[in-house]
Amino acid sequence: TTLFRSHVIGKVQSNKSRLVAQHAHWLHTLDSLKLAQRLSTQRPTHLDDLNVLIEINITGESSRHGITPNELWSLAQAVMALPRLRLRGLMCVASATEDETVLDNQFSQMSDLLKQLCTYVPYADTLSMGMSADMAVAIAHGATIVRIGSAIFGTRPAIQAA
């Protein structure tokens, strides 16, 4: 087995799917059947199945990626039918807010969605949600992966206009 596991987080464009399929161990941002089909076809047979998380747009904001909670079941069924992919759970990016009620609501909904998914996919054990600012709330709702880059490296400097 490999000592290091590579996780891809971020929107994957169609022309980049082959790189993900050939090199990654995990994709956190699966958001379409088209991408799932490409990854399944492009995944080399000598590699283990690609672990995938379906990205849920839990905020409902049009500027966010991911599918709606109502679209989860049809995409999950389609992904489970594809070879070379292993549906491991769900991922979301919550609202950029300090309002714990809003965060609590969104993370609670994600936790409920994972529990429902587990009735169909017993090995779905991963909930990727929460960042440095909201990780305590995310963990309280069952997050198994949190993204804490700014807690480790600090905040990104503002981009200066040219």
Side-chain angles (χ1 to χ4, degrees):
T1 62
T2 304
L3 180 60
F4 298 101
R5 297 282 173 203
S6 58
H7 290 246
V8 174
I9 301 172
K11 180 76 173 160
V12 176
Q13 299 170 335
S14 293
N15 64 340
K16 303 289 191 250
S17 64
R18 184 173 302 281
L19 290 171
V20 173
Q22 292 176 345
H23 300 288
H25 297 99
W26 285 78
L27 173 65
H28 288 237
T29 51
L30 182 64
D31 64 355
S32 72
L33 178 56
K34 177 185 173 188
L35 177 58
Q37 290 169 330
R38 289 179 65 87
L39 293 167
S40 174
T41 302
Q42 295 168 338
R43 185 73 172 174
T45 56
H46 71 278
L47 295 177
D48 291 339
D49 291 352
L50 177 64
N51 294 298
V52 296
L53 303 176
I54 294 177
E55 183 176 10
I56 304 294
N57 180 346
I58 201 66
T59 69
E61 299 169 19
S62 60
S63 61
R64 301 282 178 125
H65 297 291
I67 63 170
T68 68
N70 291 336
E71 296 171 305
L72 173 58
W73 313 121
S74 61
L75 182 55
Q77 287 178 320
V79 170
M80 290 182 340
L82 292 171
R84 315 298 305 136
L85 300 181
R86 185 166 178 85
L87 179 56
R88 293 291 301 274
L90 305 174
M91 180 270 203
C92 80
V93 176
S95 294
T97 181
E98 292 180 14
D99 185 336
E100 283 205 24
T101 303
V102 171
L103 295 171
D104 197 56
N105 230 355
Q106 292 174 0
F107 292 145
S108 177
Q109 188 178 359
M110 288 297 295
S111 180
D112 290 345
L113 288 171
L114 182 65
K115 287 175 188 161
Q116 293 170 27
L117 182 63
C118 284
T119 63
Y120 301 102
V121 188
Y123 53 83
D125 59 357
T126 306
L127 193 51
S128 175
M129 62 182 189
M131 295 189 203
S132 298
D134 58 15
M135 71 176 161
V137 181
I139 291 168
H141 286 284
T144 57
I145 297 175
V146 291
R147 297 170 296 280
I148 56 169
S150 63
I152 297 170
F153 301 110
T155 56
R156 294 181 185 180
I159 296 174
Q160 301 293 324

